[in-house]
Amino acid sequence: MLEDVTETPDPAAATPARRPEPTIPKSAPPTGDAPAVASPWLPRLLAVGLVLAALNLRPAITSLGSLLEEVRDGLHMSGGVAGALTSVPQLCFAVFGITAPRLARRFGPAAVVLAGMVAITAGLLIRPFTGSTVGFLLASTLALMGIAVGNVLMPVIVKRWFPDRVGSMTGLYSMALAFGTSLAAAATVPVTDALGGNWRTGLAVWASLGVLAVLVWIPLVVRSRAGTPGEAAAAVPQQAAVDFRITRIPTAWALACYFGLQSTAAYITMGWMPQIFRDAGISASTAGVLLAITMVMGVPLAFVIPRVAAGMRTQGPIVLVLGICGLAGYAGLYLAPAGGAWFWAVLLGISNCSFPLALTMIGMRTRTGAGVARLSVFAQSTGYLISIPGPLLVGVLNEHSGGWGLPIAFMAALMVPQIVVGVFAGRDRTIDGHG
């Protein structure tokens, strides 16, 4: 968020010591996908485009969570199908995110981001009006394909176009991503009510953010100078060879499992938490606000946790604290979902900050840039695949048990192995030493 979410700065940025990135002199001719910054308005337009792109990377997921009951009733979905729908984001991120670097080398990052914004806009606009579950799933997949490539290429865009302001621009788009996640969660139900109460209109309205992003990215692509595949390749660094097989390294698997289990918790939260609160007697609009609170907790903590973790030899204590918050939140949902709803939302929001911690540990578990790249691809792609069954099983358990007691117990049970593998992944060793 944000599962989706977040996703995110390069894990290498979390390492305690790294070589400073060189800046590009203003007089240097542009290469690859870098635009010729000849007009004073262009840097500002780039910043606006970056923010608008980030705003579009999560509303497709969190807006659906707020109206999942209406969508299920309107399309006559079973609980299992609805659970499958909440698992689609992870599958798309795992499958389509891998293709983003290759597409960027071929067409240039700006053109691929623009295509991603078009896909998001089209998917959000089409899916409420397909009239069938299959059509809804296919249109959702189209939007999620666009999100997947955006997740991967946002850091590339920042490093390419703002080489001397990587930190500030990364923070800008990270905050925009978190804000978009929370905004869609909190505002979808009120906006739906204001537009006549039709859930189809309430979901489709988020396509307007995509339209704005497309309008800004079109001139950016026109101004970019990715004239040939060879030039575009300069915008995306090639991955250097690494002389070990990562699938044989226990720490790599621990990181992949930790990433997968925390993603499972995050997407269960985004997909099902509003419905849990609604079934406990909380209004739909309040349930959306509760999800927004959970998501917005990641804004300040995403800045704090990586810095604290990078200064520690082992990250096990942070893993344990986040896990305990998650267990406490699930216990509250089980015992008194309505009575302490606001507190449970905060606790689960803290627990979901396992995502920036996972990225930080990826950066700390290797000494080289090539190692970070390879570990990141392995941990994230494997992790997203691991996370796919979780939301689906929650839907099936809810349908067959007729309540939320069993699904919540399942969520809490998953937190135990998450803590165990997280402590293992947080040990002071690197994959370069095959640890």
Side-chain angles (χ1 to χ4, degrees):
M1 205 162 254
L2 350 129
E3 127 104 303
D4 282 226
V5 264
T6 171
E7 44 158 21
T8 54
D10 188 345
T15 53
R18 65 172 185 170
R19 185 175 302 170
E21 295 177 279
T23 58
I24 299 177
K26 293 183 178 180
S27 59
T31 59
D33 201 38
V37 186
S39 302
W41 55 265
L42 191 55
R44 297 183 180 88
L45 187 63
L46 290 170
V48 171
L50 195 69
V51 168
L52 287 174
L55 284 173
N56 280 276
L57 294 183
R58 291 298 179 271
I61 302 170
T62 52
S63 63
L64 177 60
S66 298
L67 293 175
L68 188 58
E69 181 177 324
E70 287 77 5
V71 174
R72 288 176 62 177
D73 294 342
L75 297 178
H76 307 292
M77 286 185 186
S78 66
V81 173
L85 185 61
T86 60
S87 294
V88 170
Q90 303 96 293
L91 178 62
C92 290
F93 294 166
V95 173
F96 298 111
I98 296 174
T99 67
R102 181 178 300 176
L103 292 172
R105 286 192 289 268
R106 175 65 178 86
F107 301 104
V112 179
V113 169
L114 173 60
M117 294 300 108
V118 172
I120 293 170
T121 304
L124 289 177
L125 196 58
I126 293 170
R127 73 175 182 177
F129 305 106
T130 58
S132 69
T133 298
V134 173
F136 192 94
L137 285 169
L138 290 175
S140 295
T141 300
L142 176 62
L144 292 166
M145 288 170 58
I147 295 172
V149 297
N151 284 338
V152 174
L153 294 181
M154 283 296 98
V156 175
I157 295 293
V158 168
K159 291 180 181 180
R160 189 63 184 167
W161 279 338
F162 299 96
D164 55 344
R165 286 184 285 164
V166 171
S168 60
M169 297 308 297
T170 297
L172 181 65
Y173 92 75
S174 297
M175 287 188 292
L177 191 152
F179 180 74
T181 304
S182 304
L183 178 65
T188 295
V189 172
V191 168
T192 301
D193 293 340
L195 294 176
N198 189 323
W199 65 266
R200 300 178 190 275
T201 307
L203 289 182
V205 72
W206 295 105
S208 59
L209 280 178
V211 172
L212 291 176
V214 169
L215 292 176
V216 171
W217 278 93
I218 287 175
L220 292 177
V221 172
V222 171
R223 289 299 301 269
S224 70
R225 296 189 176 181
T228 66
E231 290 176 350
V236 183
Q238 300 286 341
Q239 182 175 317
V242 182
D243 61 352
F244 55 80
R245 183 170 295 180
I246 200 167
T247 55
R248 294 181 178 179
I249 301 174
T251 297
W253 277 107
L255 278 168
C257 291
Y258 185 68
F259 194 95
L261 289 170
Q262 66 82 25
S263 292
T264 300
Y267 282 95
I268 287 175
T269 298
M270 284 190 282
W272 290 110
M273 198 174 81
Q275 192 61 51
I276 293 174
F277 284 131
R278 291 180 66 174
D279 288 347
I282 296 173
S283 68
S285 59
T286 302
V289 173
L290 288 167
L291 177 59
I293 289 174
T294 299
M295 297 295 103
V296 83
M297 290 300 297
V299 176
L301 292 180
F303 287 98
V304 175
I305 289 176
R307 287 162 174 76
V308 174
M312 302 172 65
R313 289 177 59 87
T314 64
Q315 290 71 49
I318 304 179
V319 170
L320 186 60
V321 169
L322 297 179
I324 290 173
C325 287
L327 288 172
Y330 290 136
L333 284 181
Y334 186 90
L335 297 172
W342 301 95
F343 187 48
W344 315 143
V346 170
L347 285 175
L348 291 174
I350 295 172
S351 179
N352 280 347
C353 288
S354 301
F355 177 67
L357 176 61
L359 293 178
T360 303
M361 290 196 293
I362 289 173
M364 297 181 69
R365 296 287 88 87
T366 178
R367 302 187 187 99
T368 66
V372 169
R374 188 167 182 182
L375 180 58
S376 178
V377 170
F378 174 75
Q380 293 198 46
S381 59
T382 304
Y384 278 129
L385 290 174
I386 290 172
S387 69
I388 290 172
L392 172 62
L393 287 174
V394 167
V396 172
L397 290 173
N398 170 248
E399 184 175 37
H400 284 276
S401 67
W404 288 106
L406 188 58
I408 291 172
F410 169 69
M411 298 177 212
L414 287 180
M415 188 60 65
V416 176
Q418 178 178 324
I419 293 172
V420 173
V421 296
V423 170
F424 189 87
R427 295 179 303 165
D428 184 20
R429 58 186 62 197
T430 64
I431 63 170
D432 308 87
H434 301 183

